[in-house]
Amino acid sequence: MIAFKAQAFYRLEHAENMENLSTVDDVDRMIDALLAGPEFHNMASVYSTERSKLPAGVHDHELTIGVNSDLQMGAIVFMDETGNYATVGEPGSRKEPVYHLAGYMREFPEECEISIALVREAVKEFISSGGQRPRCVAWKPMEW
């Protein structure tokens, strides 16, 4: 078993105590919980505990995932000091997918959705790499 070192926020109860992700199975359980959970709880923010925090005590990075159980698709956004990136989805995929983190809506960039299998692989790579942007998926810079 690979020892992962990350924390995730995807339910209101994680606001005070984020969920630890220590194994591959923990990642799969989190994604399965998002897929099976309430309609407005289909997104998670994941942070590597191997990266330093900024002086204010906040993370210097974030991997945000959203999953859609009906479509069996998801999307990922990665942010750190190098910029903000979204996964590159299939041409013609949804224009502006919407996901919800503990009931709060967030729009994702157009055509950024990928298979759930790739979402799983990317989260596992993010954690096992110490919080680096996963290479198993294609990325595009986010435009504001």
Side-chain angles (χ1 to χ4, degrees):
M1 234 180 230
I2 299 171
F4 286 169
K5 295 181 181 175
Q7 294 184 310
F9 170 73
Y10 60 96
R11 297 284 187 261
L12 289 176
E13 60 265 23
H14 298 142
E16 295 297 320
N17 190 22
M18 285 199 266
E19 181 170 300
N20 291 318
L21 304 176
S22 302
T23 67
V24 172
D25 291 339
D26 291 342
V27 172
D28 286 331
R29 266 191 296 281
M30 175 189 68
I31 292 173
D32 290 343
L34 291 170
L35 287 167
E39 180 181 2
F40 298 108
H41 293 79
N42 59 1
M43 190 172 103
S45 294
V46 183
Y47 306 95
S48 172
T49 58
E50 296 185 61
R51 290 182 64 149
S52 300
K53 289 188 176 182
L54 299 172
V58 297
H59 295 279
D60 70 344
H61 68 287
E62 181 177 69
L63 184 84
T64 304
I65 66 167
V67 298
N68 183 300
S69 60
D70 292 335
L71 299 175
Q72 287 296 296
M73 301 291 281
I76 306 174
V77 170
F78 176 81
M79 297 174 270
D80 74 357
E81 73 279 355
T82 66
N84 299 336
Y85 303 90
T87 46
V88 175
E90 294 295 320
S93 60
R94 293 193 304 164
K95 293 294 181 197
E96 292 182 357
V98 174
Y99 295 98
H100 296 85
L101 178 61
Y104 294 95
M105 182 183 86
R106 177 165 177 193
E107 293 179 2
F108 277 58
E110 65 180 41
E111 297 183 336
C112 68
E113 290 179 301
I114 58 177
S115 71
I116 293 297
L118 272 177
V119 171
R120 289 180 193 275
E121 184 179 345
V123 175
K124 292 170 185 175
E125 182 183 336
F126 167 78
I127 294 170
S128 66
S129 72
Q132 299 305 305
R133 183 164 33 122
R135 295 186 204 174
C136 65
V137 293
W139 297 95
K140 59 185 175 187
M142 287 181 59
E143 298 176 13
W144 302 102

